[in-house]
Amino acid sequence: MKIDNDYLAKRQLKRGTAGWLLLAGLGISYVISGDFAGWNFGIAEAGWGGFLIASILMGVMYMFLVLSLAEMSAAIPAAGGGYSFARQVMGPAGGYLTGLAILIEYALAPAAIVIFIGAATESLLGINGPIVYAIFYAVFIAIHVLGAGEALKTMMVISALAVFAIIATAIALIGNFDVANLFDIAPSADVAGATTFLPFGWHGVWAALPFAMWLFLAVEGVPLAAEEAKDPAKDVPKGIIGAMLFLLVSAALVLFLLAGASGAKMIGASAVPLVDALNAVGNNGLGTVVNVLALAGLIASFFSIIYGYSRLIFALSRAGYLPQFLSLTSKRKTPTWALIVPGVLGFIASLTGEGDLMLAMAVVGATISYALMSLSHILLRIKQPELNRPYKTPGGVVTSAIAFVLSLVALTGVYAFDPRAFNYTIVLYIIGAAYYFFYSKNHLVAKTAQEEFDMIEQAELELEHEL
């Protein structure tokens, strides 16, 4: 498909909006709600020791994936993130299939999170349901429409409140830590070889992998802001690595201190583990504060993932994979339709009330994308060794190969926990793939992400010259 400068001029994001600190804040806010609830059900699946192993495996997977993404995002600073990297080395089909997997993750996660927000507002204010979902979608999409800078700064404030709640909880619980509390789940009599450390055996570790992912899920979305970074080659690697390092610390805090202070059995069954842990040690006042700030954590993730899906849909649309009106940007250079249309669809999905199912489906999409993004790093190193790489992944293809293998293991973990979510997501993925092979592959704008990016830069230079 032929395009002109007018096409690209109507599809540009605002450059120079985010430095590395804002990008690190974006990465943290994507994930921060996962520290407040959800992850802890992995303890019920595997016991504390089993969940510790699952968390270490997923921590390694995410850290190695992040290091791979840091290299690719510095070399290919496009708004499509993982989709752009895959497209560069695996062609249009590989790019789309990667982008589709990320899109499933980012489209379903906000719908699930807004259901959890509704539950939180019900406990605090007594209101819940579609009106709450609609208000949150409308308000936060409106903030994004105002501009990327405004959205990212708002997100930083909300995230800071959530981080404060986690740190305050950790400080309050550390004096009550007792190693014996970590192993208060009795070994299952139905599992051969079950021990106090692994009360549900190795199958429990396998089934706990999706819950361990919840401590880091969506941090990979930082490169979606590459086109709005001040210096993408430096800011995106620093931002995503900085976010991941913080998330490793916060994951360790909640994993060790909550169960260590109040017992693994109780934490594994808790809907609000930070609050219940504080109440269990008699710190009810802080528990009430954290209960309120947990809502900030949910809002931070909801808010930032809306940003992420809009940039991904913008990139896929601008490239011709999705309907082209979705990539039109406003005078403030925000992708209005890429914010609104998925928001409406997400609101409709939220009406099912099945937040747990949508989260499990989002994890399936995520693990597929992780495998494809790790593979992209390996292939880029092999096929394009001359590509300018301002940042290079420590360990090279060994690092990304480990991330690739662990992502496939994590994908099977979802099936071990919830076959229904696994099967639904695969069907959805096949339908999305069929859309590309039967229609959108004939409407693409450029052959590679780099070619598209070069065309955009040329259009920007010509536009500046005209002004």
Coordinates of all heavy atoms in Angstrom, one line a residue, residues 366-439:
A366 N 0.3 -13.2 27.1 CA 1.6 -12.7 27.5 C 2.7 -13.7 27.3 O 3.7 -13.4 26.7 CB 1.5 -12.3 29.0
T367 N 2.5 -15.0 27.7 CA 3.5 -16.0 27.5 C 3.8 -16.3 26.1 O 5.0 -16.5 25.7 CB 3.2 -17.3 28.3 OG1 1.8 -17.7 27.9 CG2 3.2 -17.1 29.8
I368 N 2.8 -16.3 25.2 CA 3.0 -16.4 23.8 C 3.9 -15.3 23.3 O 4.9 -15.5 22.5 CB 1.7 -16.5 23.0 CG1 0.9 -17.8 23.4 CG2 2.0 -16.5 21.5 CD1 -0.5 -17.8 22.8
S369 N 3.6 -14.1 23.7 CA 4.4 -12.9 23.2 C 5.8 -13.0 23.7 O 6.7 -12.6 23.0 CB 3.7 -11.6 23.6 OG 3.9 -11.3 25.0
Y370 N 6.0 -13.5 25.0 CA 7.3 -13.5 25.5 C 8.2 -14.5 24.7 O 9.4 -14.2 24.5 CB 7.3 -14.0 27.0 CG 6.5 -13.1 27.9 CD1 6.1 -13.6 29.2 CD2 6.2 -11.8 27.6 CE1 5.4 -12.8 30.1 CE2 5.5 -11.0 28.4 CZ 5.1 -11.5 29.7 OH 4.4 -10.7 30.5
A371 N 7.6 -15.6 24.3 CA 8.4 -16.6 23.5 C 8.8 -15.9 22.2 O 9.9 -16.1 21.8 CB 7.6 -17.8 23.3
L372 N 7.8 -15.3 21.6 CA 8.1 -14.7 20.3 C 9.1 -13.5 20.4 O 9.9 -13.3 19.5 CB 6.8 -14.2 19.6 CG 5.9 -15.3 19.2 CD1 4.5 -14.8 18.8 CD2 6.5 -16.1 18.1
M373 N 9.0 -12.7 21.5 CA 9.9 -11.6 21.6 C 11.4 -12.1 21.9 O 12.3 -11.5 21.4 CB 9.4 -10.6 22.7 CG 8.2 -9.8 22.3 SD 7.8 -8.5 23.5 CE 7.0 -9.5 24.8
S374 N 11.5 -13.1 22.7 CA 12.8 -13.7 23.0 C 13.4 -14.3 21.7 O 14.6 -14.1 21.5 CB 12.6 -14.8 24.1 OG 12.1 -14.3 25.3
L375 N 12.5 -15.0 20.9 CA 13.0 -15.5 19.7 C 13.4 -14.4 18.7 O 14.4 -14.5 18.0 CB 11.9 -16.3 19.0 CG 12.2 -17.0 17.7 CD1 13.4 -18.0 17.8 CD2 11.0 -17.7 17.1
S376 N 12.8 -13.2 18.8 CA 13.1 -12.1 17.9 C 14.5 -11.6 18.3 O 15.3 -11.3 17.4 CB 12.1 -10.9 18.2 OG 10.8 -11.3 17.7
H377 N 14.9 -11.6 19.6 CA 16.2 -11.1 20.0 C 17.3 -12.1 19.5 O 18.3 -11.7 19.0 CB 16.3 -11.1 21.5 CG 17.6 -10.6 22.0 ND1 18.6 -11.5 22.4 CD2 18.1 -9.4 22.2 CE1 19.7 -10.9 22.8 NE2 19.4 -9.6 22.7
I378 N 17.0 -13.4 19.6 CA 17.9 -14.4 19.1 C 18.1 -14.2 17.6 O 19.3 -14.2 17.1 CB 17.4 -15.8 19.4 CG1 17.4 -16.0 20.9 CG2 18.3 -16.9 18.7 CD1 16.7 -17.3 21.3
L379 N 17.0 -14.1 16.8 CA 17.1 -14.0 15.4 C 17.8 -12.7 14.9 O 18.5 -12.6 13.9 CB 15.7 -14.1 14.7 CG 15.1 -15.5 14.9 CD1 13.7 -15.5 14.3 CD2 15.9 -16.6 14.2
L380 N 17.5 -11.6 15.7 CA 18.2 -10.3 15.3 C 19.7 -10.4 15.5 O 20.4 -9.8 14.7 CB 17.6 -9.2 16.2 CG 16.3 -8.5 15.7 CD1 15.7 -7.6 16.8 CD2 16.5 -7.7 14.4
R381 N 20.1 -11.1 16.5 CA 21.6 -11.2 16.8 C 22.2 -12.1 15.6 O 23.3 -11.8 15.2 CB 21.8 -11.9 18.1 CG 21.8 -11.0 19.3 CD 22.9 -10.0 19.3 NE 23.0 -9.2 20.5 CZ 23.8 -9.5 21.6 NH1 24.6 -10.6 21.5 NH2 23.8 -8.7 22.6
I382 N 21.4 -13.1 15.2 CA 22.0 -14.0 14.1 C 21.9 -13.3 12.7 O 22.9 -13.4 12.0 CB 21.2 -15.3 14.1 CG1 21.5 -16.1 15.4 CG2 21.6 -16.2 12.9 CD1 20.6 -17.3 15.6
K383 N 20.7 -12.8 12.4 CA 20.5 -12.3 11.0 C 21.0 -10.9 10.8 O 21.3 -10.5 9.7 CB 19.0 -12.4 10.7 CG 18.4 -13.8 10.6 CD 17.0 -13.8 10.2 CE 16.4 -15.2 10.0 NZ 15.0 -15.1 9.5
Q384 N 21.0 -10.0 11.9 CA 21.4 -8.6 11.7 C 22.4 -8.2 12.7 O 22.2 -7.3 13.5 CB 20.1 -7.7 11.8 CG 19.0 -8.0 10.8 CD 17.9 -7.0 10.9 OE1 18.0 -5.9 11.3 NE2 16.7 -7.5 10.4
P385 N 23.6 -8.9 12.6 CA 24.7 -8.5 13.6 C 25.2 -7.1 13.4 O 25.7 -6.5 14.3 CB 25.8 -9.6 13.2 CG 25.5 -9.9 11.8 CD 24.0 -9.9 11.7
E386 N 24.9 -6.5 12.2 CA 25.4 -5.2 12.0 C 24.5 -4.1 12.5 O 24.8 -2.9 12.5 CB 25.6 -4.9 10.5 CG 24.4 -4.7 9.6 CD 23.5 -6.0 9.5 OE1 23.9 -7.1 9.8 OE2 22.3 -5.8 9.2
L387 N 23.3 -4.4 13.0 CA 22.3 -3.5 13.5 C 22.9 -2.7 14.6 O 23.6 -3.2 15.5 CB 21.1 -4.2 14.0 CG 19.9 -3.3 14.5 CD1 19.3 -2.6 13.4 CD2 18.9 -4.2 15.2
N388 N 22.8 -1.3 14.6 CA 23.3 -0.5 15.6 C 22.6 -0.8 16.9 O 21.4 -0.6 17.0 CB 23.1 1.0 15.2 CG 23.7 1.9 16.3 OD1 24.7 1.6 16.9 ND2 23.0 3.0 16.5
R389 N 23.4 -1.2 17.9 CA 22.8 -1.5 19.2 C 23.4 -0.6 20.3 O 24.4 -1.0 20.9 CB 23.1 -3.0 19.5 CG 22.3 -4.0 18.6 CD 22.8 -5.4 18.9 NE 21.9 -6.4 18.3 CZ 22.0 -6.8 17.0 NH1 22.9 -6.2 16.2 NH2 21.1 -7.7 16.5
P390 N 22.8 0.5 20.7 CA 23.3 1.4 21.7 C 23.4 0.7 23.1 O 24.2 1.0 23.9 CB 22.3 2.5 21.8 CG 21.6 2.5 20.4 CD 21.6 1.1 20.0
Y391 N 22.5 -0.3 23.3 CA 22.6 -1.1 24.5 C 22.7 -2.6 24.1 O 21.9 -3.0 23.2 CB 21.4 -0.9 25.4 CG 21.4 -1.9 26.6 CD1 22.1 -1.6 27.8 CD2 20.7 -3.1 26.5 CE1 22.1 -2.5 28.8 CE2 20.6 -3.9 27.6 CZ 21.3 -3.6 28.8 OH 21.3 -4.5 29.8
K392 N 23.5 -3.4 24.7 CA 23.6 -4.8 24.4 C 23.3 -5.7 25.6 O 23.7 -5.4 26.7 CB 25.0 -5.2 23.9 CG 25.3 -4.6 22.5 CD 26.6 -5.1 21.9 CE 26.9 -4.6 20.5 NZ 28.1 -5.2 19.9
T393 N 22.4 -6.7 25.3 CA 22.0 -7.6 26.4 C 23.2 -8.4 27.0 O 23.9 -9.1 26.2 CB 21.0 -8.6 25.9 OG1 19.9 -7.8 25.3 CG2 20.5 -9.5 27.0
P394 N 23.4 -8.3 28.3 CA 24.4 -9.2 28.9 C 24.1 -10.7 28.6 O 23.0 -11.1 28.8 CB 24.3 -8.9 30.4 CG 23.7 -7.5 30.4 CD 22.8 -7.5 29.3
G395 N 25.1 -11.4 28.2 CA 24.9 -12.8 27.9 C 24.4 -13.1 26.5 O 24.3 -14.3 26.1
G396 N 24.0 -12.1 25.8 CA 23.5 -12.2 24.4 C 22.4 -13.2 24.2 O 21.4 -13.2 25.0
V397 N 22.5 -14.1 23.2 CA 21.4 -15.0 22.9 C 21.2 -16.1 24.0 O 20.1 -16.7 24.1 CB 21.7 -15.7 21.5 CG1 21.7 -14.7 20.4 CG2 23.0 -16.5 21.6
V398 N 22.2 -16.3 24.8 CA 22.0 -17.2 26.0 C 20.9 -16.7 26.9 O 20.0 -17.4 27.3 CB 23.3 -17.5 26.7 CG1 23.0 -18.3 28.0 CG2 24.3 -18.2 25.8
T399 N 21.0 -15.4 27.2 CA 20.0 -14.8 28.0 C 18.6 -14.9 27.4 O 17.6 -15.3 28.1 CB 20.3 -13.3 28.2 OG1 21.6 -13.2 28.8 CG2 19.3 -12.6 29.1
S400 N 18.4 -14.5 26.2 CA 17.1 -14.6 25.5 C 16.6 -16.0 25.3 O 15.4 -16.3 25.4 CB 17.1 -13.8 24.2 OG 18.2 -14.1 23.4
A401 N 17.6 -17.0 25.2 CA 17.2 -18.4 25.0 C 16.6 -18.9 26.3 O 15.6 -19.7 26.3 CB 18.4 -19.2 24.6
I402 N 17.2 -18.5 27.4 CA 16.6 -18.9 28.7 C 15.2 -18.3 28.9 O 14.3 -19.0 29.4 CB 17.5 -18.5 29.9 CG1 18.9 -19.3 29.8 CG2 16.9 -18.7 31.2 CD1 19.9 -18.8 30.7
A403 N 15.0 -17.1 28.6 CA 13.7 -16.4 28.6 C 12.7 -17.2 27.7 O 11.5 -17.4 28.1 CB 13.8 -15.0 28.3
F404 N 13.2 -17.6 26.6 CA 12.3 -18.3 25.6 C 11.8 -19.6 26.2 O 10.6 -19.9 26.2 CB 13.1 -18.6 24.3 CG 12.4 -19.4 23.3 CD1 11.4 -18.8 22.5 CD2 12.7 -20.7 23.1 CE1 10.7 -19.6 21.6 CE2 12.0 -21.5 22.2 CZ 11.0 -20.9 21.4
V405 N 12.7 -20.4 26.8 CA 12.3 -21.7 27.3 C 11.4 -21.5 28.5 O 10.4 -22.2 28.6 CB 13.6 -22.5 27.8 CG1 13.2 -23.7 28.6 CG2 14.4 -22.9 26.6
L406 N 11.7 -20.6 29.4 CA 10.9 -20.4 30.6 C 9.5 -19.8 30.2 O 8.5 -20.2 30.9 CB 11.6 -19.4 31.5 CG 12.8 -19.9 32.3 CD1 13.5 -18.9 33.1 CD2 12.3 -21.1 33.2
S407 N 9.4 -19.1 29.1 CA 8.1 -18.6 28.7 C 7.2 -19.7 28.2 O 6.0 -19.7 28.4 CB 8.2 -17.5 27.6 OG 8.8 -18.0 26.5
L408 N 7.8 -20.7 27.5 CA 7.0 -21.8 27.1 C 6.6 -22.7 28.3 O 5.5 -23.2 28.3 CB 7.8 -22.7 26.1 CG 8.2 -22.0 24.8 CD1 9.0 -23.0 23.9 CD2 6.9 -21.6 24.0
V409 N 7.4 -22.8 29.3 CA 7.1 -23.5 30.5 C 5.9 -22.8 31.2 O 4.9 -23.4 31.7 CB 8.3 -23.7 31.5 CG1 7.9 -24.2 32.8 CG2 9.4 -24.5 30.8
A410 N 6.0 -21.5 31.3 CA 4.9 -20.7 31.9 C 3.6 -20.8 31.2 O 2.5 -20.9 31.8 CB 5.3 -19.2 32.0
L411 N 3.7 -20.9 29.8 CA 2.5 -21.1 29.0 C 1.8 -22.4 29.4 O 0.5 -22.4 29.6 CB 2.8 -21.1 27.5 CG 1.7 -21.4 26.5 CD1 0.6 -20.4 26.6 CD2 2.3 -21.5 25.1
T412 N 2.5 -23.5 29.6 CA 1.9 -24.7 30.0 C 1.4 -24.7 31.4 O 0.4 -25.4 31.7 CB 2.9 -25.9 29.9 OG1 4.0 -25.7 30.8 CG2 3.5 -26.0 28.5
G413 N 2.0 -23.8 32.2 CA 1.5 -23.6 33.6 C 0.1 -23.1 33.7 O -0.7 -23.5 34.6
V414 N -0.3 -22.3 32.7 CA -1.7 -21.8 32.7 C -2.7 -23.0 32.4 O -3.7 -23.1 33.0 CB -1.9 -20.7 31.6 CG1 -3.3 -20.2 31.6 CG2 -0.9 -19.5 31.8
Y415 N -2.2 -23.8 31.5 CA -3.1 -25.0 31.2 C -3.2 -25.9 32.5 O -4.3 -26.4 32.7 CB -2.5 -25.8 30.1 CG -3.4 -27.0 29.6 CD1 -4.5 -26.7 28.8 CD2 -3.2 -28.3 30.1 CE1 -5.3 -27.8 28.4 CE2 -4.0 -29.3 29.7 CZ -5.1 -29.1 28.9 OH -5.9 -30.1 28.5
A416 N -2.1 -26.0 33.2 CA -2.2 -26.8 34.4 C -3.2 -26.2 35.4 O -3.8 -27.0 36.2 CB -0.8 -26.9 35.1
F417 N -3.3 -24.9 35.5 CA -4.1 -24.3 36.4 C -5.6 -24.1 35.9 O -6.5 -24.4 36.6 CB -3.6 -22.9 36.8 CG -4.6 -22.0 37.6 CD1 -5.0 -22.3 38.8 CD2 -5.1 -20.9 37.0 CE1 -5.9 -21.6 39.5 CE2 -6.0 -20.1 37.7 CZ -6.4 -20.5 38.9
D418 N -5.7 -23.7 34.7 CA -7.1 -23.4 34.1 C -7.1 -23.7 32.6 O -6.9 -22.8 31.8 CB -7.4 -21.9 34.4 CG -8.9 -21.5 34.0 OD1 -9.5 -22.4 33.4 OD2 -9.3 -20.4 34.4
P419 N -7.4 -24.9 32.3 CA -7.5 -25.3 30.9 C -8.5 -24.5 30.1 O -8.3 -24.2 28.9 CB -7.9 -26.8 30.9 CG -7.5 -27.3 32.3 CD -7.7 -26.1 33.2
R420 N -9.6 -24.1 30.7 CA -10.6 -23.3 30.0 C -10.0 -22.0 29.5 O -10.2 -21.6 28.4 CB -11.8 -23.0 31.0 CG -12.9 -22.2 30.3 CD -14.1 -22.0 31.3 NE -13.7 -21.2 32.4 CZ -14.5 -20.3 32.9 NH1 -15.7 -20.1 32.4 NH2 -14.2 -19.6 34.0
A421 N -9.3 -21.3 30.4 CA -8.7 -20.0 29.9 C -7.7 -20.2 28.8 O -7.6 -19.4 27.9 CB -7.9 -19.3 31.1
F422 N -6.9 -21.3 28.9 CA -5.9 -21.7 27.9 C -6.6 -21.9 26.5 O -6.2 -21.3 25.5 CB -5.1 -22.9 28.3 CG -4.1 -23.3 27.3 CD1 -2.8 -22.8 27.4 CD2 -4.4 -24.2 26.3 CE1 -1.8 -23.2 26.5 CE2 -3.4 -24.6 25.4 CZ -2.1 -24.1 25.5
N423 N -7.7 -22.7 26.5 CA -8.4 -23.0 25.3 C -9.1 -21.8 24.7 O -9.0 -21.6 23.5 CB -9.4 -24.1 25.6 CG -8.7 -25.5 25.9 OD1 -7.6 -25.7 25.5 ND2 -9.4 -26.3 26.7
Y424 N -9.7 -21.0 25.5 CA -10.4 -19.8 25.0 C -9.4 -18.8 24.3 O -9.7 -18.3 23.3 CB -11.1 -19.0 26.2 CG -12.4 -19.6 26.7 CD1 -13.0 -19.1 27.8 CD2 -12.9 -20.8 26.1 CE1 -14.2 -19.6 28.2 CE2 -14.1 -21.3 26.5 CZ -14.8 -20.8 27.6 OH -15.9 -21.3 28.1
T425 N -8.2 -18.7 25.0 CA -7.2 -17.8 24.4 C -6.7 -18.3 23.1 O -6.5 -17.5 22.2 CB -6.1 -17.5 25.4 OG1 -6.6 -17.3 26.7 CG2 -5.2 -16.4 25.0
I426 N -6.4 -19.6 23.0 CA -5.9 -20.1 21.7 C -7.0 -19.9 20.6 O -6.6 -19.6 19.5 CB -5.6 -21.6 21.9 CG1 -4.4 -21.8 22.9 CG2 -5.2 -22.2 20.6 CD1 -3.2 -21.1 22.5
V427 N -8.2 -20.1 20.9 CA -9.3 -19.9 19.9 C -9.3 -18.4 19.5 O -9.4 -18.1 18.3 CB -10.7 -20.3 20.5 CG1 -11.8 -19.8 19.5 CG2 -10.8 -21.8 20.7
L428 N -9.2 -17.5 20.5 CA -9.2 -16.1 20.2 C -7.9 -15.7 19.3 O -8.0 -14.9 18.4 CB -9.1 -15.3 21.5 CG -9.3 -13.8 21.4 CD1 -10.6 -13.4 20.8 CD2 -9.2 -13.2 22.8
Y429 N -6.8 -16.4 19.6 CA -5.6 -16.1 18.9 C -5.7 -16.6 17.4 O -5.3 -15.9 16.5 CB -4.4 -16.9 19.6 CG -3.1 -16.5 19.1 CD1 -2.6 -15.2 19.3 CD2 -2.2 -17.4 18.5 CE1 -1.3 -14.8 18.9 CE2 -1.0 -17.1 18.1 CZ -0.5 -15.8 18.3 OH 0.8 -15.5 17.9
I430 N -6.3 -17.7 17.2 CA -6.5 -18.3 15.9 C -7.4 -17.4 15.1 O -7.2 -17.1 13.9 CB -7.1 -19.7 16.0 CG1 -6.1 -20.7 16.5 CG2 -7.6 -20.2 14.6 CD1 -6.6 -22.1 16.8
I431 N -8.5 -16.9 15.7 CA -9.4 -15.9 15.0 C -8.7 -14.7 14.6 O -8.8 -14.2 13.5 CB -10.6 -15.6 15.9 CG1 -11.5 -16.8 16.1 CG2 -11.4 -14.5 15.3 CD1 -12.6 -16.6 17.1
G432 N -7.9 -14.1 15.5 CA -7.1 -12.9 15.2 C -6.1 -13.2 14.1 O -5.8 -12.3 13.2
A433 N -5.5 -14.4 14.1 CA -4.5 -14.7 13.1 C -5.2 -14.8 11.7 O -4.6 -14.4 10.7 CB -3.8 -16.0 13.4
A434 N -6.4 -15.4 11.7 CA -7.1 -15.5 10.4 C -7.4 -14.2 9.8 O -7.4 -14.0 8.6 CB -8.4 -16.3 10.7
Y435 N -7.7 -13.2 10.7 CA -8.0 -11.8 10.2 C -6.8 -11.3 9.4 O -6.9 -10.7 8.3 CB -8.3 -10.9 11.4 CG -8.4 -9.4 11.0 CD1 -9.5 -8.9 10.4 CD2 -7.3 -8.6 11.2 CE1 -9.5 -7.5 10.1 CE2 -7.3 -7.2 10.9 CZ -8.5 -6.7 10.3 OH -8.5 -5.4 9.9
Y436 N -5.6 -11.6 9.9 CA -4.4 -11.1 9.2 C -4.2 -11.8 7.9 O -4.1 -11.2 6.8 CB -3.1 -11.3 10.0 CG -1.9 -11.1 9.2 CD1 -1.4 -9.9 8.9 CD2 -1.1 -12.3 8.8 CE1 -0.2 -9.7 8.1 CE2 0.0 -12.1 8.0 CZ 0.4 -10.8 7.7 OH 1.6 -10.7 6.9
F437 N -4.3 -13.2 7.9 CA -4.0 -13.9 6.7 C -5.0 -13.8 5.6 O -4.7 -13.9 4.4 CB -3.8 -15.4 7.1 CG -2.5 -15.7 7.8 CD1 -2.5 -15.9 9.2 CD2 -1.2 -15.6 7.1 CE1 -1.3 -16.2 9.8 CE2 -0.1 -15.8 7.8 CZ -0.1 -16.1 9.2
F438 N -6.3 -13.5 6.0 CA -7.3 -13.4 5.0 C -7.6 -11.9 4.6 O -8.2 -11.7 3.6 CB -8.6 -14.0 5.5 CG -8.6 -15.5 5.5 CD1 -8.4 -16.2 6.7 CD2 -8.6 -16.2 4.3 CE1 -8.4 -17.6 6.7 CE2 -8.6 -17.6 4.3 CZ -8.5 -18.3 5.5
Y439 N -7.1 -10.9 5.4 CA -7.4 -9.6 5.0 C -6.2 -8.6 5.2 O -5.7 -8.1 4.2 CB -8.6 -9.1 5.9 CG -8.9 -7.6 5.6 CD1 -9.6 -7.2 4.5 CD2 -8.5 -6.6 6.5 CE1 -9.9 -5.9 4.2 CE2 -8.8 -5.3 6.3 CZ -9.5 -4.9 5.1 OH -9.8 -3.6 4.8

